[in-house]
């Protein structure tokens, strides 16, 4: 079955950096786009960034553009997000999610979530 | 950005009730709309996509309908496992956005 296992996260000071990882199993990782999303009490669910299956195209929300960088290593079935210049408003539970596939940008499987606290 | 407004924000219902949640978009998003269910401490779960297509493994008591700017999630007969928060999401226009959520609680 599809599994997405996240690692990373924790407490960081404003202006600091953090890297989150997401390791996939149970599907052909190199055939699917992948996303990072986040959820905070104040802002609800927010899509953050997306990377296509081959890593050739990347998309970011305005709130993280220029500060977050998404990447993937298909040989390791893994995806990453490097977060820099973190702000207090980046505090949230971060989820990786698998794209439904094809033309559809829906999130059909999610990781367990990892808490990032910027304080 | 496209705004999605869900109503109600909270819904109190009993087991076996028919429940309807509405999602209104600030512009046409048809048919690129999905519904998710989230329970406390868990990640969201995809229920319905393309407004009315049931995701594999999701019980048939869940259904979606709507077009244009107005969409509905219906639970035909509420079960104990269905008490949760529900979100709509659009991908008609980047950036992809979510509604604020509807909490279905026990009456």
């Amino acid at each position: 079955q599809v599994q997405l296992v996240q690692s990373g996260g924790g407490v960081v000071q404003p202006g600091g950096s953090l890297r989150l990882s997401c390791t996939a199993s149970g599907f052909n990782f190199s055939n699917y786009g992948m996303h990072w999303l986040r959820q905070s009490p104040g802002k609800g669910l927010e899509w953050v960034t997306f990377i296509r299956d081959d890593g050739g195209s990347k998309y970011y929300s305005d709130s993280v553009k220029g500060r977050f960088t998404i990447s993937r290593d298909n040989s390791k079935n893994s995806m990453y997000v490097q977060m820099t210049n973190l702000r207090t408003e980046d505090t949230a539970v971060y989820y990786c999610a698998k794209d439904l596939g094809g033309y559809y940008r829906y999130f059909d499987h999610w990781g367990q979530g990892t808490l990032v606290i910027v304080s | 950005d496209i705004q999605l407004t869900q109503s109600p924000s909270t819904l109190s219902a009993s087991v076996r009730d028919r429940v309807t949640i509405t999602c209104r978009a600030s512009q046409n998003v048809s048919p690129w709309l999905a519904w998710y269910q989230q329970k406390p401490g868990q990640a969201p779960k995809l229920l319905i996509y393309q407004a009315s297509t049931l995701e594999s493994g999701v019980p048939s008591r869940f259904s979606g309908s709507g077009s244009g700017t107005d969409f509905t999630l219906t639970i035909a007969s509420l079960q104990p496992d269905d008490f949760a928060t529900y979100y709509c999401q659009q991908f008609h226009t980047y950036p992809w956005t979510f509604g604020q959520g509807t909490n279905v609680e026990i009456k």
Side-chain angles (χ1 to χ4, degrees), chain A residues 92-112:
Chain A
V93 174
Y94 284 74
Y95 294 99
C96 64
K98 172 185 167 292
D99 197 62
L100 183 61
Y103 186 71
Y104 301 125
R105 298 289 85 80
Y106 301 119
F107 322 111
D108 66 344
H109 290 88
W110 299 59
Q112 81 276 18

Side-chain angles (χ1 to χ4, degrees), chain A residues 39 47 60 105-107 110, chain B residues 32-33 36 38 50 94:
Chain A
Q39 187 171 32
W47 168 81
Y60 299 92
R105 298 289 85 80
Y106 301 119
F107 322 111
W110 299 59
Chain B
W32 316 110
L33 188 110
Y36 299 82
Q38 186 178 32
Q50 290 303 85
Y94 163 82

Side-chain angles (χ1 to χ4, degrees), chain B residues 12-19 76-83 105-107:
Chain B
S12 298
S14 302
V15 173
R16 291 183 296 279
D17 280 355
R18 181 180 180 87
V19 166
S77 176
L78 197 66
Q79 298 301 301
D81 192 49
D82 301 337
F83 292 97
E105 61 180 26
I106 301 172
K107 191 172 185 178

Side-chain angles (χ1 to χ4, degrees), chain A residues 21-110:
Chain A
S21 300
C22 174
T23 301
S25 61
F27 66 102
N28 193 339
F29 182 73
S30 61
N31 283 354
Y32 290 90
M34 296 291 294
H35 303 260
W36 287 99
L37 303 99
R38 65 187 181 185
Q39 187 171 32
S40 61
K43 294 189 70 176
L45 276 167
E46 180 185 12
W47 168 81
V48 175
T49 180
F50 166 65
I51 186 168
R52 289 199 184 275
D53 53 1
D54 61 359
S57 295
K58 304 170 185 180
Y59 302 80
Y60 299 92
S61 67
D62 284 347
S63 60
V64 306
K65 199 173 294 182
R67 301 187 299 121
F68 289 16
T69 302
I70 191 171
S71 62
R72 63 189 295 161
D73 184 341
N74 286 346
S75 70
K76 296 182 178 178
N77 285 354
S78 292
M79 175 183 66
Y80 312 95
V81 62
Q82 179 69 45
M83 305 184 293
T84 63
N85 192 19
L86 283 160
R87 305 167 180 168
T88 55
E89 56 263 37
D90 295 318
T91 294
V93 174
Y94 284 74
Y95 294 99
C96 64
K98 172 185 167 292
D99 197 62
L100 183 61
Y103 186 71
Y104 301 125
R105 298 289 85 80
Y106 301 119
F107 322 111
D108 66 344
H109 290 88
W110 299 59

Side-chain angles (χ1 to χ4, degrees), chain B residues 16-53:
Chain B
R16 291 183 296 279
D17 280 355
R18 181 180 180 87
V19 166
T20 298
I21 299 169
T22 296
C23 177
R24 175 163 288 176
S26 58
Q27 64 188 73
N28 182 9
V29 299
S30 194
W32 316 110
L33 188 110
W35 291 95
Y36 299 82
Q37 176 195 66
Q38 186 178 32
K39 298 178 181 178
Q42 297 183 17
K45 172 188 174 183
L46 179 64
L47 299 175
I48 287 167
Y49 62 95
Q50 290 303 85
S52 60
T53 301

Side-chain angles (χ1 to χ4, degrees), chain A residues 2-15:
Chain A
V2 172
Q3 272 200 306
L4 299 173
V5 178
Q6 299 179 222
S7 59
V11 181
V12 61
Q13 292 184 342

